[in-house]
Amino acid sequence: MSAYDIVLKSREKGRPTAVKYIENIVEGFIELHGDRRFADDKAIIGGIGRIGGMPVTVIGIEKGEDTADKIAHNFGCAHPEGYRKAVRLMKEAEKFRRPVLCFVDTSGAYCGIGAEERGQSEAIAMSILDMIRLKTPTLSVIIGEGGSGGALGLCAADEVWITETSTYSVISPEGCASILWKDSGRVADASECLKLTAGDLISLGAVEKVVPEEGFGEAFYAKLKEDIAVFFRKQKDVPAERLVENRYRRFRKF
Amino acid sequence: MTAVLAAANGALFGVMSALSYGVERLGRRNVCGACGGMFAARFSFGVGFCGTVLRMRGARFPELYFVCLAAAGDLAREGVGVSVSAHGLCARTKGSEKIKLKFDFKKFFFKKPKNELEGSENGGEAKEQAEQGAIPEKLAEKCEKCGQIVLADDFAAHFGVCPKCGHYRKIDARARISMCFDEFNELFADEESGNVLDFPGYTEKLAKLRAATGEKDGVVSGYGKIGGIECAVFSMDYRFMMGSMGHTVGEKIAKTFEYAIEKRLPVVGFVLSGGARMQEGIISLMQMAKTSAAVAKHGEAGLLYISVLTDPTTGGVSASFAFEADIIIAEKGALIGFAGPRVIEQTIRQKLPEGFQRAEFIEEKGFADLIVERKEMKEKLSELLALHCAEANA
Ligand SMILES: [Zn+2]
């Protein structure tokens, strides 16, 4: 599969979105709403549930399934209040030393008047900063598009995993082709050059694990759930200061 | 063209060899042989955007020389420079003895930065000259905003603000530091990185910018004193791909914070960036996390960080260390935001209101602590630093 095929696949209609993962992996999920500042951003959903009996805070960027649902979730493009809600939930998790799991799937944070007025830059910046210093285990799984700063806002974790046909990139290949080459037709070239596929990301050290998709069947979720549970059980034994220091080193190496 | 340039690069520096820079015609426009900038010209001589004096084909007035009007920063715009009406320029310089006499060819051409073509012909010498510094001195410049001609000295005296219309020009990283610091010592000057992803054309682009600016990348780091108070500093440079953040920029900024933690110093950061450097792909994105982690660590050590957001501060840089400071200063008029105005207009399909994402808007919406005029930047920084400095308040 070419890089561009993977780009298309990562955005494919019918691909499971964050809610599907939560349904299949998290037991007894209770959704918690709002940033307590401005609104509840439906592009980022969050709450608490259990994985293998262990309480976990789960945050997901949700694109929506059918058209009406996509509109309700703003196609997975979060506003500042989405990132502020995520930070609020992470801080709550930290207070009780509960692990935080993020499912990331966004073409990018929303670009619009309201988003700018309410400080999109500040919201993402503080989400990265707070997440990277969180005194509790964190894991982010990229399940579709890992689009730029909007994705990084929820990827400042102990480890970042990615499913086989997902991408993680500083800019969309379309944006890259049109800015750099003034030719939006060269999307396939840009996809190649940006090194945004799971294989590239592993070799660059940007992700720790590639999750095989196996057609997103029952076995896929069961395996992913087991891997997440094992990871969090291991991380829970690490002292908080060490977790933060390890995370510092993880990002410092780039 | 290359042969002509190589000749100009030879041992015989002087008016004649300098003049052989020549001008290329591109439709009705003239393209500077040295920097590739375009300009319109009605007379026999024109001047490139980089400050080079050019001779038009079929010169009729070989005794007249015209001085470049545009900032060397136009190099950062990949040669698609703003077109300057040479008519306005000529009207000012034609027959102006004062300007003609002030023009020191020898000094001018020995300090001239080398361009890409020359670099490939004669790498060593070009590199050496680029390292000596420098952007050529210019006598008169044209304000990008009001179009009026301003003597370079006047621009300098007003900290790069147009004395005629108040337009804030971009100033390079070192000029910014020397404007605010009484004392400055550079750190991490050798830090540089290559084309990490083998991105097509990026190696050449880096080489060209390094030669043109004499800088290794888009940020200058170090420590120094403002109003007697010691602090660490980083300053971003618009000439280097509009201050975009790749590995070197991220690394130097992270190291600045780590140095400040070790020496227990506050950090002053002059931010100027269009965002992430896409030629470095995911490595560029990771710089946002790396710098944020360093800012957080510095903050946890109880140390002060002041960011000064200048025009422009957008994209990945705005969504990381720019907005993580204890005190956020927005320079008057600066464009500050997550998405650039054009991207937003394309997304929402409507025109943005006047003043949208400008410093005044950012302050009004509650995301900047204060707006500071450039001429008052040093004083305001030293006051703020003093308020946070234990010794100054003992
Ligand atoms: Zn002006």
Side-chain angles (χ1 to χ4, degrees), chain B residues 325-374:
Chain B
D326 297 297
I327 293 179
I328 298 172
I329 294 175
E331 185 169 76
K332 191 180 169 211
L335 180 84
I336 300 162
F338 177 64
R342 246 174 309 161
V343 176
I344 301 174
E345 283 181 345
Q346 279 164 17
T347 309
I348 63 173
R349 285 156 218 259
Q350 64 185 81
K351 201 114 188 73
L352 291 168
E354 184 69 24
F356 187 73
Q357 294 181 314
R358 293 290 161 184
E360 297 69 20
F361 167 97
I362 301 299
E363 187 191 59
E364 184 195 314
K365 297 298 169 191
F367 292 97
D369 290 281
L370 67 164
I371 294 173
V372 175
E373 286 189 42
R374 193 177 285 170

Side-chain angles (χ1 to χ4, degrees), chain B residues 190-372:
Chain B
D190 295 333
E191 198 66 53
E192 70 179 314
S193 33
N195 187 354
V196 279
L197 298 188
D198 283 327
F199 202 99
Y202 183 45
T203 307
E204 296 73 26
K205 186 159 195 161
L206 281 177
K208 185 176 167 185
L209 287 170
R210 280 172 188 161
T213 61
E215 302 288 351
K216 294 208 165 82
D217 214 299
V219 72
V220 174
S221 283
Y223 65 95
K225 281 184 175 169
I226 302 182
I229 298 175
E230 192 159 351
C231 53
V233 58
F234 66 86
S235 177
M236 303 177 82
D237 204 311
Y238 72 96
R239 299 171 303 166
F240 226 101
M241 299 165 89
M242 203 45 81
S244 70
M245 176 161 63
H247 175 264
T248 305
V249 170
E251 186 67 16
K252 284 176 81 168
I253 289 173
K255 280 188 169 166
T256 304
F257 280 95
E258 286 168 341
Y259 175 84
I261 295 168
E262 194 194 313
K263 306 281 180 191
R264 297 209 54 81
L265 294 175
V267 173
V268 171
F270 297 107
V271 182
L272 183 157
S273 180
R277 188 171 297 170
M278 64 188 130
Q279 291 91 337
E280 294 189 21
I282 197 74
I283 302 299
S284 163
L285 192 70
M286 291 301 110
Q287 305 309 313
M288 292 171 64
K290 182 168 92 180
T291 52
S292 296
V295 171
K297 212 173 196 180
H298 181 258
E300 285 168 19
L303 299 165
L304 171 72
Y305 166 33
I306 301 177
S307 66
V308 179
L309 312 188
T310 71
D311 189 49
T313 296
T314 57
V317 164
S318 77
S320 58
F321 59 85
F323 273 105
E324 293 165 348
D326 297 297
I327 293 179
I328 298 172
I329 294 175
E331 185 169 76
K332 191 180 169 211
L335 180 84
I336 300 162
F338 177 64
R342 246 174 309 161
V343 176
I344 301 174
E345 283 181 345
Q346 279 164 17
T347 309
I348 63 173
R349 285 156 218 259
Q350 64 185 81
K351 201 114 188 73
L352 291 168
E354 184 69 24
F356 187 73
Q357 294 181 314
R358 293 290 161 184
E360 297 69 20
F361 167 97
I362 301 299
E363 187 191 59
E364 184 195 314
K365 297 298 169 191
F367 292 97
D369 290 281
L370 67 164
I371 294 173
V372 175

Side-chain angles (χ1 to χ4, degrees), chain B residues 13 107 185 229 288 306 316 360 366 380 382 387:
Chain B
F13 272 82
K107 190 172 168 198
N185 307 281
I229 298 175
M288 292 171 64
I306 301 177
E360 297 69 20
K380 205 54 94 181
S382 65
L387 287 167

